Each structure stands twice: as C-alpha cells, then as structure tokens.
Amino acid sequence: MPIIRFIKNWTLPIAMLAGALSYFIYTGIPALEPTKPYVARFIDILQPALIFAMLFITFCKVNPRELRPCRWHGWLLLIQAGCFALLAGLLKCFPHLPGQVLAEAAMLCMICPTATAAAVVTGKLGGSAANLTTYTILINLVTALIVPIFVPLIHPHPDLTFGVSFSLILSKVFPLLFCPFLAALFVRYCLPGVHKLVVRCKDLAFYLWAVALAIAIGVTVKSIVHSEVSVLYQLGIAGISLVCCVVQFWAGKRIGTCYNDSISAGQALGQKNTVFAIWMGYTFMTPVTSVAGGFYSIWHNIYNSYQLYRKRNEENK
C-alpha cells in the first residue's frame, strides 16, 4: 500500500517529526501535568531497553572474528582526541577567550563517541557493521580516558577525580554497549536456534531505532526548550554543532575512501551518541554546553535521512 511504502521510505524524518510534535502536544495539555513524573520514568526505562534490543539484534548479525582494528580507526581516534585536546589547551591558555561556550560546544561535539545506533544505519547503507562496532568500542574507551584528563583544565571539579569521572563514563557506556554484545555472543554459541531466528529479523533493528530516535528527539527538544541560554548563544551553538557535523562526516568519508570503507568511517566519525553528549555536557561542563548535543542530534539525523533516501534511489534504478 502507498501509505505503508511511504512510512518505510521516510521512517527517519517521520520519527524525528513525531518525537518533536509529541513533546509539544504532551506539554501543551494541562490535564496531563500530573503524569509527567511517571512518563519521564517510563522513558528512562524504555529508551535503554530499545537501544539494548536494537544493538543485540545488530550484534547477532556480526561475526566476532571480524571485530578487529583497522587503519582508519587510528586516524579517526587521532582526529577526535586531537581536536578535543587542542581546544582544551586553547581554553586553558586563554581562559577569557570570547565565545568560550562555543569552543566548549565544539569540544563536546568532537569527543562524543559514535552512536550506538550507527551500526544499524551503516548496515542499511551497505557499510561494514563489524568495523563500525569495533570503532564504537574503541572511541568509548578513549573518551572515558581523555575526558577526565582534559576537562578539569577548564572546569575543575574537586569531587570529580580521574577515577570517579572514568567510572561515571563507563557506567553509562557499559550497560548499553557491552551487555548487548555479550548477550549476542552467548546466543550465538549457546543458543544457535535462537540466533538463527534473530538473524532472520531483517529490518527489526532499524525500526526499533526509529522508535528510539523519536524518543531521543523528544528529549532533545525538551533540553533546548528548557535551556536558559539566550537565543543568540543557541544560534551560535547550533552553528558550531552543524560545522562539527559536516566536518566529521566529510573527514570520516575522506579517510575511509583511502581504505575502501567510506560508509563505515563516515558514520563512525559523524554519527554521535547525542544523549550521551547531553549528559557529558551537564556532568563535566555546563548546562549551556549540553545544548550542543541536542542540536547535533538534529543535524546528523537529517543527514542520515538524506543518505538513506539517496541509497534507496540508487537501488531502485
């Protein structure tokens, strides 16, 4: 049917629009005010559950023997860690630099790890989910190491020592990245029948991601609406996050082309775990900086929608 075909073809834009509209409709109905704490709690449970299920299905389709570092991983890690360190050094040397918030927003956008859903999009686009998964693990570990080292230079937190910061980041990363991976390994080797059944679910992970995306966009809109940042600063942060998004997708694809893996490298560097970025902004920097994660979520999902549209057109020719 045309309606079903339309929904399948435009899943991501529909999910983004649904997430934004749902937030405004829900908050615009005064009678629903008492339900907000329960809805917030439900979302806190549903979102990680969706991500876990999505990653579990994706990891079941990835052969563990294919999870090994490749050369473009090193270049991308150098770009993310290097840019983050350079910006931190700049702010340390010039603490009263005009537009410090914008520089911090760029730091957040550069060091933010690859989105857990990136493997799903990479598979849809024809890239290597195994190479993407390997990089996702590596960049999360690098982020856990480098953020506690450099952030105290510009935002000293007496209570956030290196060990505490490292543990905080791992506590956010481990359940939603490594647990689905370990569960997929268990099913692959101990429950082969269940594994075959999961592998047959061709597009289930993608549609689970679409639901998770709608929720993430709703959270993003909430963070932007409730932000106390002036409109001028919000526009500046939106611009900085857009530049970071464009540069990282371009650099990833350019480097990946040299190793015949432009799709995976582009998604690895460009598609970010923006919910994690918002949390990092609040925890290690300032609530103002965290807005960058919300805007980045919009930009990279718009670009992902365009890539999927272009891929679909190529397949229909």
Side-chain angles (χ1 to χ4, degrees):
M1 294 176 64
I3 295 178
I4 296 176
R5 189 181 305 114
F6 176 81
I7 293 173
K8 286 184 176 180
N9 290 342
W10 300 99
T11 302
L12 298 195
I14 291 171
M16 292 174 67
L17 185 62
L21 289 177
S22 296
Y23 171 78
F24 287 116
I25 293 171
Y26 177 73
T27 56
I29 302 176
L32 297 177
E33 183 72 26
T35 67
K36 287 184 178 180
Y38 303 102
V39 172
R41 179 58 182 161
F42 175 71
I43 289 175
D44 288 341
I45 297 173
L46 178 62
Q47 191 171 33
L50 285 170
I51 294 173
F52 184 98
M54 173 191 67
L55 286 180
F56 171 72
I57 294 169
T58 302
F59 290 156
C60 279
K61 299 178 182 180
V62 174
N63 189 336
R65 296 176 182 176
E66 296 176 357
L67 296 178
R68 54 180 179 271
C70 55
R71 291 185 178 181
W72 62 259
H73 288 163
W75 288 112
L76 268 57
L77 290 172
L78 181 62
I79 289 173
Q80 290 198 246
C83 289
F84 181 78
L86 285 173
L87 287 168
L90 179 68
L91 291 177
K92 177 64 176 177
C93 295
F94 304 98
H96 303 294
L97 185 71
Q100 179 177 355
V101 171
L102 301 182
E104 291 179 6
M107 288 176 62
L108 194 63
C109 291
M110 293 305 300
I111 198 57
C112 182
T114 305
T116 49
V120 179
V121 181
T122 300
K124 272 281 186 181
L125 294 172
S128 170
N131 286 345
L132 191 286
T133 301
T134 304
Y135 185 79
T136 303
I137 295 171
L138 292 174
I139 188 55
N140 274 282
L141 292 174
V142 168
T143 300
L145 287 171
I146 199 171
V147 168
I149 292 173
F150 286 96
V151 168
L153 296 178
I154 54 177
H155 282 287
H157 290 278
D159 297 328
L160 289 178
T161 62
F162 176 84
V164 172
S165 301
F166 181 79
S167 300
L168 272 175
I169 295 175
L170 281 189
S171 69
K172 285 285 182 178
V173 171
F174 188 85
L176 291 183
L177 182 63
F178 293 104
C179 289
F181 178 69
L182 294 175
L185 287 180
F186 175 78
V187 169
R188 174 182 286 269
Y189 294 112
C190 300
L191 302 170
V194 176
H195 179 261
K196 290 180 180 178
L197 185 64
V198 173
V199 170
R200 290 197 195 103
C201 301
K202 184 179 178 183
D203 291 325
L204 180 58
F206 179 73
Y207 293 116
L208 287 174
W209 176 55
V211 177
L213 174 60
I215 296 173
I217 291 296
V219 173
T220 295
V221 172
K222 178 183 177 182
S223 69
I224 294 173
V225 169
H226 288 274
S227 172
E228 297 179 357
V229 187
S230 67
V231 174
L232 184 61
Y233 259 119
Q234 287 205 30
L235 290 174
I237 293 173
I240 287 293
S241 62
L242 176 59
V243 170
C244 290
C245 183
V246 171
V247 168
Q248 289 184 97
F249 268 113
W250 174 83
K253 287 182 177 295
R254 192 68 182 265
I255 292 170
T257 300
C258 300
Y259 302 99
N260 298 317
D261 200 6
S262 63
I263 293 173
S264 306
Q267 295 305 122
L269 193 58
Q271 188 173 346
K272 302 291 188 180
N273 187 346
T274 52
V275 174
F276 185 67
I278 293 171
W279 173 81
M280 278 203 302
Y282 270 106
T283 306
F284 299 103
M285 295 181 180
T286 64
V288 176
T289 311
S290 68
V291 177
F295 282 115
Y296 197 103
S297 175
I298 296 170
W299 306 137
H300 80 175
N301 281 305
I302 288 175
Y303 184 63
N304 279 337
S305 300
Y306 167 72
Q307 289 189 104
L308 291 168
Y309 166 77
R310 190 175 60 183
K311 177 70 174 177
R312 186 169 60 250
N313 281 351
E314 289 175 358
E315 291 174 348
N316 292 335
K317 286 183 180 178

